[in-house]
Amino acid sequence: MDGNEEARQVLLGIVARLREGWNRHDAQAFAGPFAEDADFTNVFGIVAKGRKQVETAHAAIFRTIFKDSCWTKTDTAIRFLRPDVAVLDIRWELEGSSGPWEGASGTRYGLMNLIVTREGANWAIAVFHNQDVPAPEQAKRFADLWRQ
């Protein structure tokens, strides 16, 4: 296994840790892959600075609007900018939100953009931006227009 493939497997492991932490509603586990000084921006543009704030913010939402949520699907693309810097695009689906979204009880779709860096042998999330995206059928209609 070459260095890039080894790193790719570690990065996919980080995504799995995020998803497992989310689905257990375990804020500490969810925040674990973040760097101490990470920047996290949620779908509302609200920023948490540092792993501890990421954990605190997620503890609150796991007790409330996401207490019954389940992250059901993940599709991850990885691009290495350098051997020690990777960009991850993670398309996700979520069931069971009770937050301020239309049709909150249905499926939500989104995209997480992460910058993950390696310090020595360890990889950690440095920057995390999350966004809601339209349902696949709506996105496809727009993509068809985009290509014309």
Side-chain angles (χ1 to χ4, degrees), residues 5 10 12-13 19 24 31 33 35 44-45 53 66 80 89-90 94 100 109 124 130 132 135:
E5 185 54 32
V10 170
L12 290 172
R19 184 174 173 175
R24 288 194 321 263
F44 295 106
Q53 280 190 8
F66 292 118
F80 288 92
D89 286 339
I90 306 165
L94 188 74
Y109 305 90
N130 199 6
D132 284 310

Side-chain angles (χ1 to χ4, degrees), residues 16-144:
R17 287 174 57 200
L18 290 171
R19 184 174 173 175
E20 290 163 6
W22 184 280
N23 285 340
R24 288 194 321 263
H25 307 112
D26 181 338
Q28 185 176 23
F30 181 83
F34 285 83
E36 288 290 331
D37 63 347
D39 292 321
F40 178 100
T41 306
N42 71 13
V43 298
F44 295 106
I46 300 168
V47 176
K49 295 281 191 180
R51 182 187 306 141
K52 188 62 182 161
Q53 280 190 8
V54 171
E55 180 180 338
T56 300
H58 282 81
I61 63 175
F62 288 155
R63 285 191 308 270
T64 57
I65 63 174
F66 292 118
K67 67 181 180 180
D68 297 318
S69 67
C70 183
W71 176 351
T72 58
K73 186 175 178 187
T74 306
D75 182 21
T76 304
I78 299 171
R79 176 179 174 218
F80 288 92
L81 299 180
R82 299 188 322 226
D84 61 339
V85 178
V87 176
L88 282 65
D89 286 339
I90 306 165
R91 293 198 174 271
W92 53 264
E93 292 182 16
L94 188 74
E95 301 286 342
S97 300
S98 62
W101 297 273
E102 281 187 43
S105 60
T107 304
R108 285 184 52 218
Y109 305 90
L111 174 64
M112 298 174 205
N113 306 112
L114 285 65
I115 298 173
V116 185
T117 59
R118 185 178 67 214
E119 296 290 331
N122 298 316
W123 287 87
I125 300 166
V127 178
F128 183 116
H129 289 174
N130 199 6
Q131 58 190 316
D132 284 310
V133 299
E137 59 277 0
Q138 184 180 5
K140 182 184 179 325
R141 286 194 303 271
F142 182 80
D144 292 343

